[in-house]
Each structure stands twice: as C-alpha cells, then as structure tokens.
C-alpha cells in the first residue's frame, strides 16, 4: 500500500467506437504509429495505427481541448448520472464529522504550478522507458509515450505529488505517473504508473493503487476549462479529505487509511451537491461546474485538505472561480455507498488467461521483422515489453537488433498474468 499521506497536499491548502488497429511502438526514440517498423535494442512495435479511433478529436498539446471526447465508456462510474441516487443513511454524520464546516476549495486556477496539468500527444510520440520505484509491483511497465518536457504537477522543481498525465489521441490510452521525474537519457522514473483504456470501463486490480491513492484514474476527475467553455461537463470530479478509512467503494479499488476509525469515509465515496442548492447567482461558467456537481458529484480519490476539488490550471480562468469558495460542505450529501470493501472482503476472481504468446520466427537477422501473437481471455488491456508497450488486438510487429525476450502482461480487475517469448538475433 502507498503511504497515504507522503508527498501529498495534505492540509496545504474514466458505447465506445470499435477499435480498428494496433499500436506501433519503438524502444528508443522510435514512434509507435502505423507503418513504423524500425528500431534499435529490444525492438519496435508495428500495427495498423489508430487514426479512426474516437479519441482522435482531441487536440495535441498541454491543456489541449478534448474536442468533446469524454474519456471512458458511458457505463463508467465517472460518467454516471447520480442525481437521483439514494442518499447514504450516514450522510449527515459523514458531512459533519469528516468533511467539516468548510467550503469548496477549487484546487486550480491561473497559476501553472497549481492544479494537475496534462498533455495530449499523437500516435507519433516516441515511447520511452519508465523506471519503477516504490509501487512497481502494482504498476504498469513501460514503455510509454511520455515527452521529455511533459508537465509535472507543481512544476519541474516540485517536491509534491509530481503527477504526470499523458493522453494518446492516436491509440486512446491514458498514462498516469506518480512522483515522476525525467532522466537525462529520455526515460522517466516514477513511484507508480497506470495505463487506462480511454474507450473502456477499466478498473485497477482490487487492492492495487494507481497514480492516485484510491486506485482511480486522475484525469477524468479534473475540472477543465475546455469543458466549462463548451458549457457542458459529463463526469464527476476528484476531491480530497484529510481522514479516510481502510476501505473503498466503487469505483475505487484501493484504500490509504489515515485513521483507524472505521466510520471515516472510504476511498471512492461520492458527494453530490443538493438539487435544491441555488446556483442562479453564480456566473454561467461556474454554473456549469456546479451543475456537474449535482448530476455527477465528487469522488473521493486521495488524502488531502478537506473538500479540495481538483482541476487544471489555465490562464483563461476568471476571477469568478473564487465564488466556488462560498459553497459550504452542508450543501452536499453523501450518495449511498454499497458495497463497501476492505482488504478482508473485496471481490476475487480469475486473472486473465494467456493460452499462447508466440513469435513468427525464433531467429531473425538484426533489424528483421517478427510478428508477436497472443491469445488471452478476460483481459482489460495488454502490454508487450520491451518495445510495443500498450497494444490493441492480438499481434504486433517487432524488429530486434539483439536477442530479446519479450514479456506479455495481461491485466483485469482480479490481477495480472504474464508470458514470455525469446527472439534470437545472431
């Protein structure tokens, strides 16, 4: 388990379109787009690309507009309308005892070192290795399309959580890193990493952390200017509380208790702005945010200051953002939590099965092409390393320049399985 408070801002202040193709990847500075089969070292990926995937409407760049694309499927709990969901029987007690007499705090603004930044890359972004640290056994291995200049939460010199969020608009994957730092050779180091399929309804394996303490994706819970400016937000927001219990409720998959009191909120708890709370006095843009709080709510994702809601800093935010600070905790209610899990009763089941992982040739000349193929079942996503990284479909092409053992990782909500195959280069 992640140390629940380390390097966090405590008290300081996920029907999609059919997937057409595979993911082309390269090990050392070679892009993972379609038709690129060159490379060095362990090999490169090949495939049909993702030019027609639903997420290709996302613009490229830092704080780029998603063009109306909503991450994850319509069945994702991030995107679920909970405006009519029952109120939890302990709502008033939870609000009074654990949220407290505080107001909403918008944890973002115009300062670029405030909030959590993100960057959108295209299918040509080179893949780089990620050196895993403290939570490597619960992390997804690289390589990942993380630019050398990807924005780090808090700025390049930050000593905080140092989250890095990268969305790939060519292949529809989200990559999230915790406590991340770039290395001089182009690789990154991170204490925790997670890959998320932007077209699905993925969940981390039960009891696994992610780049967030609740085992959740961070990006879908951010308040973003492009959505507010478009006049519509279709997802819940991420928020923090200082005290959480050793429990979690969907969509969370991990707990990070800061108190032994079992009545404290579990990770994944959802607050909802009461339907009767009058928002007519707020600006049009702030009404967009508050309307989403009524329809989708806030999901408890981490330990931190009470009722801090996370967003993306942007120079276009106006002074009306300050008005959110007038919304009291008493204007919220807790949505019914059922089920609630602990490490003693969380769901168990079968991890994915891998019935085959083969290479089209066991020997190849340096730089020659080899097709890796696999047969898995019950997998949410698969990763092939070194080289291709996160891929769609059941095969990918590599071009090793040295004898290389490739590992296939297949993951679902119950765990991860792996298989290997070696391609020899004389």
């Amino acid at each position: 388990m992640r140390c629940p408070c380390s390097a966090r801002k405590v008290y300081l202040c996920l029907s999609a379109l059919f997937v057409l193709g595979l993911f082309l990847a390269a090990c050392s500075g070679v892009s993972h787009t379609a038709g690129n089969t060159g490379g060095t070292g362990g090999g490169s990926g090949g495939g049909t690309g993702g030019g027609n995937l639903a997420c290709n409407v996302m613009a490229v760049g830092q704080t780029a507009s998603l063009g109306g694309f909503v991450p994850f499927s319509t069945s994702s709990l991030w995107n679920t309308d909970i405006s009519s969901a029952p109120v939890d029987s302990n709502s008033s007690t939870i609000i009074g005892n654990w949220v407290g007499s505080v107001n909403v705090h918008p944890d973002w603004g115009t300062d670029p070192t405030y909030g959590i930044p993100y960057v959108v890359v295209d299918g040509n972004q080179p893949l780089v290795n990620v050196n895993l640290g403290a939570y490597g056994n619960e992390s997804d291995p690289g390589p990942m399309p993380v630019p050398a200049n990807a924005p780090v939460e808090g700025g390049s010199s930050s000593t905080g959580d140092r989250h890095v969020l990268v969305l790939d608009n060519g292949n529809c994957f989200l990559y999230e890193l915790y406590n991340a730092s770039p290395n001089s050779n182009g690789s990154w180091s991170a204490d925790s990493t997670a890959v998320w399929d932007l077209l699905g309804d993925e969940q981390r394996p039960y009891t696994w952390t992610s780049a967030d303490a609740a085992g959740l994706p961070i990006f879908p819970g951010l308040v973003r200017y492009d959505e507010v400016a478009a006049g519509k937000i279709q997802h819940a927001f991420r928020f923090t509380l200082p005290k959480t219990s050793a429990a979690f409720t969907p969509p969370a998959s991990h707990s990070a208790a800061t108190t032994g009191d079992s009545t404290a909120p579990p990770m994944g708890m959802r607050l909802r702005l009461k339907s009767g709370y009058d928002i007519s006095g707020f600006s049009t843009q702030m009404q967009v945010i508050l309307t989403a709080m009524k329809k989708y709510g806030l999901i408890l994702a981490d330990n931190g200051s009470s009722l801090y809601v996370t967003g993306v800093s942007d120079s276009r935010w106006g002074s009306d953002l300050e008005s959110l600070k007038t919304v009291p905790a008493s204007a919220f209610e807790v949505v019914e939590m059922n089920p609630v899990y602990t490490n003693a009763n969380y769901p168990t089941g079968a991890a994915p099965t891998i019935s085959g992982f083969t290479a089209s040739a066991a020997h190849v000349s340096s730089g020659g092409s080899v097709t890796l193929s696999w047969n898995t079942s019950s997998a949410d996503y698969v990763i092939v390393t070194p080289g291709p990284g996160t891929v769609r479909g059941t095969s990918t092409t590599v071009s090793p320049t040295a004898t290389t053992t490739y590992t296939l990782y297949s993951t679902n909500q119950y765990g991860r399985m792996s298989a290997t195959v070696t391609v020899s280069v004389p």
Side-chain angles (χ1 to χ4, degrees), residues 77 82 84-91 94 249-251 266 268-272 333-340:
L77 291 181
I82 47 81
S84 299
V87 176
D88 194 270
S89 59
N90 293 317
S91 177
I94 293 172
T249 188
M269 180 185 77
R270 194 186 302 248
L271 300 184
R272 176 178 60 206
E333 55 199 358
V334 179
V335 176
E336 184 178 61
M337 294 181 286
N338 184 27
V340 176

Side-chain angles (χ1 to χ4, degrees), residues 262-285:
S262 61
T263 67
M267 286 294 179
M269 180 185 77
R270 194 186 302 248
L271 300 184
R272 176 178 60 206
L273 187 61
K274 294 176 181 178
S275 60
Y277 185 75
D278 185 6
I279 64 174
S280 63
F282 292 84
S283 71
T284 299
Q285 290 194 341

Side-chain angles (χ1 to χ4, degrees), residues 261-321:
D261 192 330
S262 61
T263 67
M267 286 294 179
M269 180 185 77
R270 194 186 302 248
L271 300 184
R272 176 178 60 206
L273 187 61
K274 294 176 181 178
S275 60
Y277 185 75
D278 185 6
I279 64 174
S280 63
F282 292 84
S283 71
T284 299
Q285 290 194 341
M286 294 306 102
Q287 287 187 40
V288 173
I289 297 173
L290 294 169
T291 297
M293 290 183 180
K294 291 185 176 186
K295 187 172 182 178
Y296 301 100
L298 314 175
I299 296 178
L300 180 55
D302 199 0
N303 299 299
S305 297
S306 191
L307 206 51
Y308 272 47
V309 181
T310 318
V312 182
S313 291
D314 194 302
S315 60
R316 296 170 291 182
W317 290 114
S319 59
D320 53 347
L321 194 59

Side-chain angles (χ1 to χ4, degrees), residues 70-393:
V70 179
F72 308 126
S73 71
T74 55
S75 61
S76 168
L77 291 181
W78 283 102
N79 306 330
T80 300
D81 182 346
I82 47 81
S83 57
S84 299
V87 176
D88 194 270
S89 59
N90 293 317
S91 177
S92 297
T93 300
I94 293 172
I95 296 295
N97 293 349
W98 300 107
V99 181
S101 299
V102 297
N103 290 358
V104 168
H105 184 94
D107 201 12
W108 77 92
T110 58
D111 183 345
T113 65
Y114 200 38
I116 301 182
Y118 68 92
V119 63
V120 181
V121 300
D122 61 23
N124 295 306
Q125 180 63 41
L127 297 172
V128 298
N129 290 327
V130 180
N131 306 314
L132 298 174
Y135 310 104
N137 62 327
E138 296 180 9
S139 292
D140 289 316
M144 298 178 177
V146 184
N149 63 348
V152 178
E153 178 187 9
S156 59
S157 301
S158 169
T159 58
D161 285 0
R162 295 186 60 86
H163 288 114
V164 170
L165 314 183
V166 180
L167 296 91
D168 176 0
N169 76 358
N171 301 281
C172 293
F173 290 110
L174 164 66
Y175 299 84
E176 298 191 338
L177 287 65
Y178 162 72
N179 196 22
S181 296
N183 300 314
S184 59
N185 64 357
S187 68
W188 283 74
S189 295
D191 274 347
S192 181
T193 63
V195 176
W196 303 91
D197 186 345
L198 289 170
L199 301 179
D201 189 11
E202 176 195 329
Q203 179 193 294
R204 299 300 286 170
Y206 286 110
T207 75
W208 283 28
T209 190
S210 63
D212 218 350
L216 291 168
I218 296 171
F219 181 80
L222 301 180
V223 184
R224 309 192 324 265
Y225 184 84
D226 65 308
E227 291 182 300
V228 173
K232 188 176 184 180
I233 296 176
Q234 302 178 78
H235 59 83
F237 301 137
R238 173 189 187 272
F239 85 106
T240 62
L241 288 176
K243 298 293 185 180
T244 60
S245 66
F248 58 90
T249 188
S253 65
H254 181 257
S255 63
T258 54
T259 177
D261 192 330
S262 61
T263 67
M267 286 294 179
M269 180 185 77
R270 194 186 302 248
L271 300 184
R272 176 178 60 206
L273 187 61
K274 294 176 181 178
S275 60
Y277 185 75
D278 185 6
I279 64 174
S280 63
F282 292 84
S283 71
T284 299
Q285 290 194 341
M286 294 306 102
Q287 287 187 40
V288 173
I289 297 173
L290 294 169
T291 297
M293 290 183 180
K294 291 185 176 186
K295 187 172 182 178
Y296 301 100
L298 314 175
I299 296 178
L300 180 55
D302 199 0
N303 299 299
S305 297
S306 191
L307 206 51
Y308 272 47
V309 181
T310 318
V312 182
S313 291
D314 194 302
S315 60
R316 296 170 291 182
W317 290 114
S319 59
D320 53 347
L321 194 59
E322 289 293 306
S323 66
L324 293 182
K325 295 180 179 180
T326 66
V327 182
S330 60
F332 290 85
E333 55 199 358
V334 179
V335 176
E336 184 178 61
M337 294 181 286
N338 184 27
V340 176
Y341 299 125
T342 68
N343 284 348
N345 73 338
Y346 65 87
T348 58
T353 59
I354 302 175
S355 56
F357 182 40
T358 61
S360 60
H363 304 270
V364 67
S365 59
S366 180
S369 295
V370 177
T371 298
L372 304 179
S373 302
W374 54 88
N375 188 6
T376 68
S377 63
S378 302
D380 284 344
Y381 61 99
V382 297
I383 297 171
V384 178
T385 187
T390 313
V391 293
R392 298 188 183 277

